[in-house]
Amino acid sequence: MGGAQSVDAENEESEPSERPEIDLSPEDVAKMTYGEFNAALDSACQEDDFAKYRALWEYIWVVRKDNQAFDEALLADGGIKHLKYAFRHSDSTWREAGVRVCRTFFHNQEAREKLVLLDFVGSMMVLTMPKEGLDLEDDEGHDGAEEFGFQLLAAETILEMADYPEFMPSLCSTSVLNFLCIALNQVPAAVETVTHTFVKISSDPQNLQV
């Protein structure tokens, strides 16, 4: 499935490996049909149960990674609403997880088209905004660590999105280009990623018309 990877794998560098306490085992989830998995996600969203939501996506990866038909069935069964629930959530932890899960669907054209319609990029940009009253340049250098992490995640996600024409109009929007310029100047860890993104975007001169 191309460059897709599990939510847990994407987050392993920033968080210690820790199995969430839910009432389902990895083996239980791996045996689920797409309908059962969607129903379990629906329950997690209705209960606003983040631990269950994250674990479900982590445990189903063994099924999804070599089975594109499973993703196609999830989407056909209305599974996009569970992605939207997360990446539009008011809580940044949910929103971050939503972005990471959506990245694992970029290989699927239907998912890409639906994410464009749902303004996935706009929701992700909200994640990069500093919280009210936060000083990103405090003396200790710690207050802005989470925000810088979100900015790096967004930069990496945009770089991946730049491989797909469906996303290009969104990536050429003023808000995204402004974000990339800010990240280029203020997030050292994102410099190489942002530079590669600009190379991809500018490969078609029409993308950067003034």
Side-chain angles (χ1 to χ4, degrees):
M1 285 172 43
Q5 56 183 324
S6 73
V7 180
D8 190 56
E10 281 198 6
N11 217 23
E12 64 184 2
E13 294 184 1
S14 59
E15 294 183 5
S17 179
E18 185 175 309
R19 178 164 293 178
E21 295 183 6
I22 65 169
D23 58 357
L24 291 168
S25 70
E27 293 76 20
D28 292 332
V29 176
K31 294 176 182 177
M32 287 181 174
T33 65
Y34 68 86
E36 291 169 337
F37 183 74
N38 258 343
L41 282 175
D42 194 56
S43 173
C45 292
Q46 288 189 19
E47 298 167 6
D48 203 41
D49 187 338
F50 177 74
K52 183 176 182 179
Y53 183 89
R54 185 174 186 273
L56 282 167
W57 284 113
E58 177 185 339
Y59 296 165
I60 202 63
W61 180 248
V62 67
V63 175
R64 291 183 59 214
K65 65 179 181 179
D66 296 317
N67 185 4
Q68 293 191 23
F70 190 88
D71 282 358
E72 293 168 0
L74 283 179
L75 294 169
D77 195 40
I80 196 74
K81 66 182 179 182
H82 303 125
L83 302 183
K84 181 178 74 171
Y85 179 85
F87 72 71
R88 285 190 176 177
H89 203 285
S90 59
D91 186 284
S92 60
T93 302
W94 271 96
R95 195 178 289 262
E96 177 187 8
V99 170
R100 293 185 183 279
V101 173
C102 285
R103 287 176 66 171
T104 70
F105 279 87
F106 285 173
H107 69 95
N108 184 285
Q109 183 176 352
E110 180 184 356
R112 296 195 300 270
E113 292 172 350
K114 289 183 175 180
L115 289 172
V116 169
L117 292 175
L118 293 171
D119 192 22
F120 167 72
V121 171
S123 295
M124 183 172 65
M125 288 296 94
V126 174
L127 186 63
T128 69
M129 296 178 181
K131 295 177 182 176
E132 184 177 355
L134 178 66
D135 181 4
L136 294 180
E137 310 241 346
D138 75 312
D139 292 338
E140 298 297 324
H142 299 308
D143 283 357
E146 183 180 60
E147 276 62 37
F148 282 133
F150 291 154
Q151 290 174 341
L152 181 59
L153 171 64
E156 292 170 345
T157 304
I158 291 169
L159 174 62
E160 190 173 345
M161 294 173 75
D163 288 329
Y164 303 101
E166 296 91 345
F167 291 135
M168 196 57 69
S170 298
L171 302 188
C172 293
S173 66
T174 300
S175 61
V176 172
L177 294 177
N178 284 345
F179 162 74
L180 291 173
C181 290
I182 292 171
L184 190 63
N185 289 295
Q186 297 184 8
V187 186
V191 170
E192 184 176 357
T193 298
V194 173
T195 301
H196 287 168
T197 300
F198 277 127
V199 170
K200 287 185 179 183
I201 292 176
S202 62
S203 63
D204 183 347
Q206 293 188 351
N207 288 334
L208 297 178
Q209 287 183 348
V210 178

